[in-house]
Amino acid sequence: MKETLVNFLNFSGIAWWIKIFTVDPRCTYYFGPFLTSEEAKTSEAGYLEDLEGEGAQGIKVSIQQCQPVELTIYNDELENSGDQVMVNPIFN
């Protein structure tokens, strides 16, 4: 039942996601979807630990309602190609 609700919220663009930006490597990662911001916050530490274990540096985290098109965005490639990734934030 919970999975169905999370999938509906994600489809609607109002599910919660953890957005992590790293300077090295220059990437943006999305982890989710989550039913609530509190649930996302509770899961945040595990994702940070994994990225730190892989040597990521300059980590910035935010939790937001959105519907990411891609879960991992290599920012260097985006800057060079001119492509844009669409993220539809519902609430700012």
Side-chain angles (χ1 to χ4, degrees):
M1 181 73 163
K2 180 180 176 182
E3 184 177 337
T4 302
L5 181 56
V6 170
N7 287 337
F8 174 75
L9 293 176
N10 190 47
F11 178 77
S12 301
I14 57 174
W16 291 91
W17 287 81
I18 301 169
K19 177 182 177 182
I20 301 177
F21 172 79
T22 59
V23 172
D24 185 20
R26 275 185 68 98
C27 291
T28 302
Y29 305 93
Y30 289 91
F31 299 98
F34 298 95
L35 186 59
T36 65
S37 62
E38 292 81 13
E39 187 178 301
K41 184 71 176 164
T42 300
S43 300
E44 178 183 311
Y47 297 116
L48 289 173
E49 184 178 321
D50 288 347
L51 289 171
E52 289 169 348
E54 293 175 9
Q57 297 181 358
I59 299 173
K60 296 180 184 175
V61 180
S62 65
I63 295 175
Q64 57 189 24
Q65 287 180 301
C66 63
Q67 189 178 33
V69 174
E70 295 182 52
L71 300 182
T72 302
I73 303 165
Y74 300 96
N75 294 335
D76 288 335
E77 290 177 11
L78 288 176
E79 290 172 4
N80 295 332
S81 70
D83 291 342
Q84 294 183 3
V85 175
M86 193 69 140
V87 176
N88 301 316
I90 299 300
F91 301 104
N92 290 333

